[in-house]
Amino acid sequence: MAFSALTPVFIAIICVLIGIILKGSRKGTKKLGSKPSQKAESRPWVDEDLKDSTDLQGGEEDDGGEWQGLDDNIAHIPFMTEHYSEEDMVKRSKDFHALLNNRRSVRFISDEPVPREVIDNVIKAAGTAPSGAHTEPWTFVVVQDPEIKHNIREIIEEEEEINYKKRMGDRWVNDLKRLRTNWIKEYLDTAPYLILIFKQVYGMLPNGKKKTHYYNEISVSIACGILLAALQNVGLVTVTSTPLNCGPRLRVLLQRPVNEKLLLLLPVGYPSKDATVPDLKRKPLDDIMVVI
């Protein structure tokens, strides 16, 4: 009788011991599972809002800190810039604003020839843009061949017609009506040059591994902004075009590698004699700047 009376007590003690063991094993599992997150935290450039196709979650590019093709012992040299007087600074800032304030998106582009050296120089200017870890993740494809330009036009107009009729939605199409745009892109044939800007979502190292291109889309976008300013500086016009659903076909047409994705297309030339632009107004400074 004594033994049977104590049996429930023994069972209770055994259950408590089992519970303690199971709880300890779960804590150990959590600690093991937390290691990948610690690794992610050690990569501060991986931001869910800004990671820009930079995939560091596994794969060859996530090399655990191996060589990325960058010189660890790069020399640092003295730097100086022109120190203008206040009067000159104000004048230069006003002149530069006046220059860029005349920039417009122009869809009527002349076939008048443009010196190739000018195109080379404006792209060199775009190539001065800053980039994540100085990876310079951009490729500027300059198309001047009439047949290739027409092939580009055919691809874009085919997709753009579908975009306007099915993909974009009524609100987007209605917002564009006042700008008088549609899927017909005659300027793709008439412009002397088409510049297609590709972002390199990763690079390739000599050993065949992928090289991470940090913030590649932001870096290339900055380069595009400089390119627009450089074109305005030499009196050429363009319209920023982001051909929806055309990127893969254009990449194949232009024989670009799989690590490049089309970001922007710019038809470049002089405005045609009958060119018009919408009479749009820009926001005043108070609407775009906050001083704290």
Side-chain angles (χ1 to χ4, degrees):
M1 291 294 291
F3 179 81
S4 60
L6 292 173
T7 299
V9 176
F10 287 130
I11 293 174
I13 292 171
I14 291 171
C15 289
V16 171
L17 290 173
I18 291 172
I20 292 171
I21 292 170
L22 289 175
K23 187 176 181 181
S25 66
R26 280 197 296 267
K27 283 184 178 179
T29 304
K30 286 180 180 179
K31 286 180 180 179
L32 289 173
S34 66
K35 286 184 178 179
S37 64
Q38 289 173 357
K39 185 177 182 181
E41 288 172 1
S42 69
R43 302 291 186 109
W45 52 81
V46 182
D47 188 307
E48 286 301 318
D49 293 328
L50 296 172
K51 63 182 180 181
D52 276 352
S53 306
T54 300
D55 183 8
L56 293 175
Q57 305 302 315
E60 293 177 348
E61 66 274 31
D62 192 7
D63 52 23
E66 291 181 7
W67 178 68
Q68 282 277 303
L70 304 175
D71 187 355
D72 291 335
N73 298 313
I74 188 168
H76 283 230
I77 59 177
F79 175 77
M80 293 184 66
T81 187
E82 187 74 28
H83 194 100
Y84 301 106
S85 67
E86 275 193 37
E87 183 180 355
D88 284 345
M89 289 174 68
V90 170
K91 182 180 184 305
R92 289 172 67 90
S93 64
K94 286 183 176 180
D95 290 346
F96 190 66
H97 169 254
L99 172 70
L100 293 188
N101 197 38
N102 286 328
R103 188 207 59 77
R104 299 300 305 270
S105 295
V106 179
R107 294 172 172 82
F108 304 95
I109 301 178
S110 167
D111 60 1
E112 181 181 350
V114 172
R116 170 62 187 280
E117 185 179 2
V118 172
I119 301 301
D120 292 350
N121 288 335
V122 296
I123 289 179
K124 283 195 291 185
T128 67
S131 59
H134 195 61
T135 50
E136 301 174 299
W138 40 67
T139 301
F140 299 89
V141 179
V142 177
V143 179
Q144 56 185 359
D145 181 89
E147 184 178 353
I148 301 298
K149 287 195 297 179
H150 189 68
N151 290 340
I152 291 173
R153 179 181 179 180
E154 289 180 328
I155 291 172
I156 289 178
E157 288 187 344
E158 177 185 335
E159 292 291 339
E160 282 285 77
E161 184 174 5
I162 300 172
N163 293 337
Y164 271 80
K165 291 182 177 180
K166 296 181 180 180
R167 296 178 181 135
M168 291 164 55
D170 292 340
R171 179 179 296 179
W172 191 351
V173 173
N174 287 333
D175 285 345
L176 290 174
K177 278 183 179 179
R178 65 194 184 110
L179 303 180
R180 301 179 190 175
T181 69
N182 55 40
W183 59 85
I184 305 301
K185 314 292 185 184
E186 184 179 348
Y187 52 75
L188 295 174
D189 271 325
T190 61
Y193 297 100
L194 304 181
I195 303 178
L196 292 91
I197 301 99
F198 288 81
K199 63 174 184 177
Q200 302 168 8
V201 295
Y202 59 86
M204 296 302 297
L205 297 172
N207 61 8
K209 287 190 174 183
K210 294 179 181 179
K211 174 183 176 181
T212 305
H213 281 173
Y214 313 102
Y215 297 133
N216 53 78
E217 185 165 324
I218 293 176
S219 300
V220 179
S221 298
I222 294 171
C224 290
I226 294 175
L227 179 56
L228 292 176
L231 290 170
Q232 180 68 14
N233 185 56
V234 296
L236 297 176
V237 299
T238 187
V239 55
T240 53
S241 173
T242 53
L244 189 63
N245 292 299
C246 299
R249 292 173 66 186
L250 294 176
R251 181 183 64 79
V252 172
L253 173 68
L254 300 174
Q255 300 180 1
R256 302 312 307 157
V258 294
N259 66 316
E260 295 187 2
K261 292 184 180 181
L262 181 64
L263 184 68
L264 200 64
L265 185 153
L266 301 177
V268 174
Y270 299 103
S272 61
K273 293 181 179 179
D274 58 351
T276 61
V277 295
D279 187 16
L280 301 175
K281 306 300 180 185
R282 291 189 166 94
K283 292 180 178 180
L285 183 62
D286 288 344
D287 286 355
I288 64 172
M289 183 178 76
V290 176
V291 178
I292 298 174

